[in-house]
Amino acid sequence: MRTRTLLTLTAALAAFTLPAIAPASAADNVLTTGSAAGDAVAEQAEVTASLASGTTATLYSSATGTTGITCTTSQFTATVDSNPTAPGTASESLTAHTFSNCTSNNVGVTGVTSVTVNNLAYTTTVASDGTVTVSPGTSGAIQTTVVLRTLLGTVTCVYQATNGTLAGTAANTDNSIQFTNQQFTRSSGSSLCPSSGYWTAKYAPVTTGGSAVYVN
């Protein structure tokens, strides 16, 4: 009778504890797909996102102003280089970052011919606390070339990240990455372009293989 009681107690404890263990093992990595408790995003997987619905990417001449360049279309693509156990920091290579359908309300500017991100790929890290950091790769500084049509003709201006890196925040509520007022400094080009640019953009949802990416 005592043996039967012990066996029954052991079985009951196993039935109680096993369900609690299973969810914890499903979200072991910093980046998961489908849900926070989903499968780990595989190394070398492609991660992509476009601007969040109803938002624009802006490069304004001041942090509090509304004068500058506005783009209604933007997209990035990155490749996952490492996705360690959480808590930790995943790393990615930002291989493509595009902007299109851009306009400008700068005085004397009649249109935007192109906004091109240079020196890709960039190194990107995503930490468990949601901190996103974009750093230069082996090709050079974080840099963007802007070509504008003006009353005096076409001008080209080159901007580089003032602090050398860009800082963003990832959020699981809408699988987004937000960049706010990231400062760029004009390194060359016409004075018709502002000396500084403050870049703001929100990308959502971030996906891989059609499934949302979560940060743990």
Side-chain angles (χ1 to χ4, degrees):
M1 178 66 69
R2 183 178 180 182
T3 300
R4 182 181 302 172
T5 301
L6 288 173
L7 289 173
T8 302
L9 177 61
T10 300
L13 287 172
F16 179 78
T17 57
L18 284 176
I21 294 172
S25 64
D28 285 343
N29 296 81
V30 175
L31 303 178
T32 57
T33 181
S35 70
D39 295 331
V41 176
E43 293 184 2
Q44 301 308 307
E46 187 175 86
V47 176
T48 187
S50 298
L51 290 176
S53 178
T55 70
T56 59
T58 57
L59 185 68
Y60 289 152
S61 56
S62 70
T64 57
T66 57
T67 300
I69 295 172
T70 299
C71 300
T72 59
T73 304
S74 181
Q75 183 179 41
F76 76 79
T77 301
T79 301
V80 176
D81 295 321
S82 66
N83 185 18
T85 300
T89 301
S91 64
E92 302 173 353
S93 295
L94 181 65
T95 56
H97 197 180
T98 60
F99 296 87
S100 57
N101 297 320
C102 303
T103 58
S104 173
N105 61 354
N106 285 335
V107 175
V109 176
T110 59
V112 179
T113 299
S114 62
V115 176
T116 305
V117 178
N118 310 127
N119 300 335
L120 294 167
Y122 299 151
T123 298
T124 303
T125 59
V126 183
S128 290
D129 64 359
T131 299
V132 177
T133 304
V134 182
S135 305
T138 58
S139 298
I142 295 175
Q143 179 176 292
T144 298
T145 299
V146 177
V147 180
L148 303 176
R149 300 186 299 277
T150 76
L151 296 175
L152 300 178
T154 299
V155 298
T156 300
C157 297
V158 177
Y159 289 88
Q160 292 186 345
T162 305
N163 297 322
T165 61
L166 303 176
T169 303
N172 285 346
T173 51
D174 54 0
N175 309 106
S176 66
I177 297 178
Q178 172 78 54
F179 296 93
T180 303
N181 284 335
Q182 297 302 290
Q183 187 176 5
F184 284 76
T185 301
R186 190 183 72 225
S187 59
S188 65
S190 170
S191 60
L192 291 174
C193 298
S195 59
S196 294
Y198 292 81
W199 175 59
T200 296
K202 180 178 182 179
Y203 296 88
V206 180
T207 64
T208 181
S211 297
V213 174
Y214 290 78
V215 179
N216 301 282

